[in-house]
Amino acid sequence: MPQFLVASDLDRTLVYSNRALALDVPDRLAPRLLSVEVHDGKALSFMTETAAELLAELAAQTPVVPITTRTRTQYERINLPGPTPGWIPPYAVCSNGGHLLVDGVPDADWQREIRARLDAASAPLPEVVEHLALTADPEWTHKRRVADDLFAYLVVERAELPAGWIDDLTAWCADRGWTVSLQGRKVYAVPAPLSKSAALAEVRRRTGAETVLAAGDSLLDADLLLTADHGWRPGHGELAETGWEADGVTALTEIGVAAGEEIIRQMLARVRAGAVVPVTG
């Protein structure tokens, strides 16, 4: 039974695209980067080499659980550094809680449980997809996507979103057991029972971990941070932009890939100490 369990969002929390690196130092002073995602022969996501070393040490000491809104296919492009070559996290959560991977393999029991929760508490996915098709103007909507037959999202021109459109969509979805989140250029519509915190609670139940440490940057990560015993959010992202704060959640000032490194450093320090110390910030 591990004392600690580390759960973290991926994009803009642990790993960063070129656009999100925020390297605001002279080129000669920029940190060395390690590619952790390749797609169609192109490197897409990065960590600092120091962050990679810290993460490998952290994963050697306690279970590290990636928790992401990415689909399973998108998640499997990520190659996180670990304590051994070819390391696979013992647990991983994809599709915002829709899939629980155990040693890289989807857990059928969890999929049945999630399907039962969705059927009981949320309107069917096709109803929401149809509403998005009717209300999202093609002039400012670049892409429409359905993720793993669980939720939907749009890629939009954020500056051209009509005033009040997000609020109207949020209210419409809330009446049907769905939530809405605007992250960068993506508008997510997600069934309320589909949450990172629910999947994290299941992993905690299975491992028996005493203390959960978590990190995330977006509104879809808020429930994850609130479920954990201690959490971290970077100085960028939806949570920072809205001034979101909570007891036991450290609000870092670092942004970009430097924030990812600092999150891992502070998590590792907490695990090394092996004791619960109140978090401020």
Side-chain angles (χ1 to χ4, degrees), residues 38-90:
V38 174
H39 183 51
D40 291 337
K42 298 179 180 179
L44 295 185
S45 297
F46 305 86
M47 307 173 73
T48 67
E49 287 190 348
T50 298
E53 293 169 0
L54 293 171
L55 182 61
E57 182 178 349
L58 181 62
Q61 296 192 36
T62 197
V64 172
V65 184
I67 298 188
T68 178
T69 306
R70 286 178 175 234
T71 64
R72 180 186 168 195
T73 298
Q74 293 168 336
Y75 164 73
E76 289 176 343
R77 299 199 301 251
I78 296 288
N79 185 12
L80 290 175
T84 58
W87 173 76
I88 296 176

Side-chain angles (χ1 to χ4, degrees), residues 110-131:
W110 180 247
Q111 287 179 298
R112 284 190 291 269
E113 174 65 23
I114 281 296
R115 178 47 56 193
R117 295 184 189 184
L118 298 183
D119 291 345
S122 300
L125 173 63
E127 181 179 342
V128 177
V129 170
E130 180 183 14
H131 183 76

Side-chain angles (χ1 to χ4, degrees), residues 146-167:
V146 172
D148 285 348
D149 291 324
L150 290 166
F151 62 91
Y153 66 93
L154 307 174
V155 179
V156 301
E157 197 64 46
R158 184 164 178 162
E160 297 181 15
L161 287 176
W165 185 81
I166 287 289
D167 291 339

Side-chain angles (χ1 to χ4, degrees), residues 223-259:
D223 67 303
L224 173 68
L225 297 177
L226 293 173
T227 299
D229 296 288
H230 303 293
W232 287 261
R233 70 157 175 84
H236 61 257
E238 279 184 307
L239 296 179
E241 291 167 4
T242 59
W244 185 89
E245 295 181 349
D247 291 341
V249 176
T250 297
L252 297 177
T253 57
E254 291 86 352
I255 64 171
V257 71

Side-chain angles (χ1 to χ4, degrees), residues 131 164-178 180:
H131 183 76
W165 185 81
I166 287 289
D167 291 339
D168 291 344
L169 178 63
T170 299
W172 186 91
C173 284
D175 288 341
R176 290 158 179 82
W178 286 62
V180 171

